Amino acid sequence: MTARILLVDDIEMNLRVLEARLSAEYYDVVTAMSGADALEICRSQPIDLVLLDVMMPEMDGFEVCRQLKADPRTMYLPIVLITALDQPSDRLAGLEAGADDFLTKPVRDLPLFSRVRSLTRLKLVTDELRRRAETAINLVAEEHAGDGREVLARLAFYGEDVDETRRIQKYLKGVVQVEAVADAASLIAAAVNGAADAVLVDMAAKAVDPLRLVSQLRSNEASRLLPVLAIAEAEDDETAARALELGANDYIQRPLDRHELIARIRTQMRRKRNDERLRQSVEQTIELALSDSLTGLHNRRFFETHLATAVQRARTTGASFSVLIADIDHFKRVNDGWGHEAGDRVLKQFSARLNDCLRSSDLACRFGGEEFAILMMDADFDTAMSIADRIRRSVCDTPFDIGGEMIDVTVSEGFAVFDGARDDAANLVRRADQALYAAKRGGRNRVGTAEAA
């Protein structure tokens, strides 16, 4: 898994050494020598992770971190602070500034690459949620921020040292509600049943393999998104790195510092709340604003917003995509001859067949009435023609059931491939629509292309 990493340090030699190490692992590396440059890069370029030196003139790493986390455009960006400072108070200052982790100079390969892989993996999850929510955010201006009250989170802790368990409960009193579980099965049950908002696992446990426990938590569908933190021995980078590889979100090493433990737990809970907010935004807005109630497809409003994003992306990357418009032939005859209930049955079955013919990356929408639109990402002329003909054949080859009676149905289609030299969203749809009418004029039950319009 590769990623685009920004290195920030005011000493060029430090930049070059770290850049060489990351480039050798096939990461795409961008560099900056000041906090101001780092802020500009993060706000103007796609970055997956920031490795940020703390001690810099004019603007130190703590301030850069605070500004990035306060900006809605960059608040989800993972940040690792790198410094020669190694006191718990220094780590605490970084975590409170919003950093996701701390690496101490000289940076060793094992903790460096385990952190990079773990945080870029987490960012992929968040980015996917943000992409899904992008259209919803554009459509629904009102945000539901809640009433500002924070419910006490529940932390399930598995450890075998009774004294340390009591100490952790004392450290976290009033911050999270700590439930000490007796065995691995109880921990998994709490995670799966929703009885815990986060999990803390002691890597020194002997009764079970704690690494296997982390793996089981992450592989279970019900607990795969739950924050998992590990406690590792001092300087045991190998176990800590292995825990991250298996899916742990973070770790803290002994001796435990109360303030650092609290800060790391709060960081994970903050990320969890942000991700849940994105998921809720997607679910609510799709249900309320983006779906056609009869067919279950997205509606025209969603299509037009998504199309605008596709046009902008194509202009930036040069990627190809196509728009297809489909219209059920002589649909009025179905409504007039068998009634509107029969017409609704045809629309539902047509939508199901349409979905069966599309790739996972294609977007099908009901434009209205018997007209449908499909946005086909990364589809050139040949790909779009293949998909269109597959749709046409799936409709005409098998009769439709309208409630005890089978009737033949056909569909006419037209598509256009995006041309950056002449197309905006409206012109692309117009050309696809012209191709559709060319198919209608040509006898129906066929595919028209923009070149034929």
Side-chain angles (χ1 to χ4, degrees), residues 265-315:
I265 290 174
R266 282 178 168 164
T267 295
Q268 295 307 317
M269 296 309 302
R270 182 172 62 248
R271 179 183 287 121
K272 179 174 183 285
R273 285 194 299 272
N274 287 338
D275 286 351
E276 286 176 346
R277 200 170 292 125
L278 287 172
R279 290 188 188 92
Q280 289 170 3
S281 174
V282 172
E283 294 169 359
Q284 291 171 358
T285 52
I286 286 179
E287 181 66 27
L288 296 175
L290 308 177
S291 297
D292 174 63
S293 59
L294 177 65
T295 63
L297 299 178
H298 293 301
N299 60 21
R300 183 167 188 160
R301 188 183 186 193
F302 182 89
F303 176 85
E304 290 175 344
T305 306
H306 209 72
L307 175 60
T309 302
V311 169
Q312 183 178 12
R313 188 173 295 145
R315 291 193 186 282

Side-chain angles (χ1 to χ4, degrees), residues 136-447:
I137 291 169
N138 289 336
L139 289 173
V140 182
E142 180 181 356
E143 293 188 7
H144 302 283
D147 58 10
R149 293 176 296 178
E150 187 171 319
V151 178
L152 196 64
R154 299 160 300 174
L155 176 76
F157 170 58
Y158 177 71
E160 296 168 357
D161 185 325
V162 175
D163 290 336
E164 184 173 69
T165 299
R166 289 172 180 163
R167 189 160 56 251
I168 288 174
Q169 289 175 321
K170 180 180 178 181
Y171 282 173
L172 299 178
K173 185 177 181 180
V175 178
V176 293
Q177 180 181 330
V178 179
E179 177 67 28
V181 296
D183 49 47
S186 299
L187 182 72
I188 292 175
V192 169
N193 297 332
D197 299 302
V199 170
L200 180 64
V201 180
D202 184 3
M203 294 292 104
K206 303 297 183 183
V208 297
D209 182 346
L211 291 173
R212 184 174 297 279
L213 185 54
V214 170
S215 176
Q216 290 173 336
L217 287 166
R218 196 51 78 224
S219 61
N220 191 305
E221 180 68 22
S223 61
R224 66 184 181 87
L225 300 176
L226 200 67
V228 176
L229 297 93
I231 298 175
E233 296 300 327
E235 304 301 322
D236 187 1
D237 293 336
E238 185 173 349
T239 299
R242 186 64 176 147
L244 293 178
E245 286 292 322
L246 292 170
N249 299 72
D250 196 5
Y251 68 83
I252 183 170
Q253 292 180 308
R254 292 185 173 91
L256 298 182
D257 176 79
R258 175 179 181 269
H259 299 292
E260 182 181 354
L261 179 62
I262 291 173
R264 290 187 182 277
I265 290 174
R266 282 178 168 164
T267 295
Q268 295 307 317
M269 296 309 302
R270 182 172 62 248
R271 179 183 287 121
K272 179 174 183 285
R273 285 194 299 272
N274 287 338
D275 286 351
E276 286 176 346
R277 200 170 292 125
L278 287 172
R279 290 188 188 92
Q280 289 170 3
S281 174
V282 172
E283 294 169 359
Q284 291 171 358
T285 52
I286 286 179
E287 181 66 27
L288 296 175
L290 308 177
S291 297
D292 174 63
S293 59
L294 177 65
T295 63
L297 299 178
H298 293 301
N299 60 21
R300 183 167 188 160
R301 188 183 186 193
F302 182 89
F303 176 85
E304 290 175 344
T305 306
H306 209 72
L307 175 60
T309 302
V311 169
Q312 183 178 12
R313 188 173 295 145
R315 291 193 186 282
T316 302
T317 66
S320 176
F321 77 95
S322 301
V323 166
L324 182 148
I325 308 292
D327 187 90
I328 300 174
D329 295 326
H330 302 299
F331 185 71
K332 186 174 185 299
R333 296 180 186 176
V334 177
N335 280 334
D336 292 346
W338 288 275
H340 288 282
E341 183 178 349
D344 288 349
R345 287 177 179 269
V346 169
L347 290 171
K348 290 178 181 179
Q349 292 171 60
F350 175 85
S351 300
R353 296 188 194 188
L354 184 63
N355 273 329
D356 288 343
C357 293
L358 300 179
R359 306 166 301 170
S360 60
S361 59
D362 297 330
L363 173 68
C365 302
R366 185 184 179 194
F367 251 33
E370 66 273 21
E371 192 173 52
F372 297 78
I374 300 96
L375 178 62
M376 298 177 287
M377 301 305 298
D378 300 312
D380 57 15
F381 182 92
D382 291 338
T383 301
M385 177 60 81
S386 175
I387 294 171
D389 195 56
R390 185 160 64 241
I391 294 169
R392 184 192 64 79
R393 287 185 283 106
S394 77
V395 173
C396 70
D397 287 352
T398 305
F400 283 59
D401 183 354
I402 59 170
E405 184 175 353
M406 308 297 289
I407 63 172
D408 291 324
V409 176
T410 62
V411 63
S412 297
E413 305 165 76
F415 72 85
V417 181
F418 178 74
D419 181 347
R422 58 172 168 164
D423 281 332
D424 54 17
N427 192 60
L428 181 62
V429 171
R430 181 187 61 78
R431 293 200 297 119
D433 211 36
Q434 288 177 345
L436 166 64
Y437 283 104
K440 291 283 191 182
R441 291 193 302 269
R444 294 183 169 83
N445 189 24
R446 63 188 63 208
V447 179

Side-chain angles (χ1 to χ4, degrees), residues 52-54 60-67 69 78-83 85 87-103 259-260 263-264 267 270:
L52 177 62
D53 186 38
V54 170
D60 65 19
F62 294 144
E63 180 58 26
V64 175
C65 186
R66 276 190 288 268
Q67 291 196 31
K69 292 298 182 177
I79 300 172
V80 177
L81 293 175
I82 300 178
T83 181
L85 304 174
Q87 295 302 307
S89 58
D90 301 317
R91 292 195 296 272
L92 179 62
L95 293 168
E96 289 182 340
D100 295 87
D101 212 337
F102 234 91
L103 289 173
H259 299 292
E260 182 181 354
R264 290 187 182 277
T267 295
R270 182 172 62 248

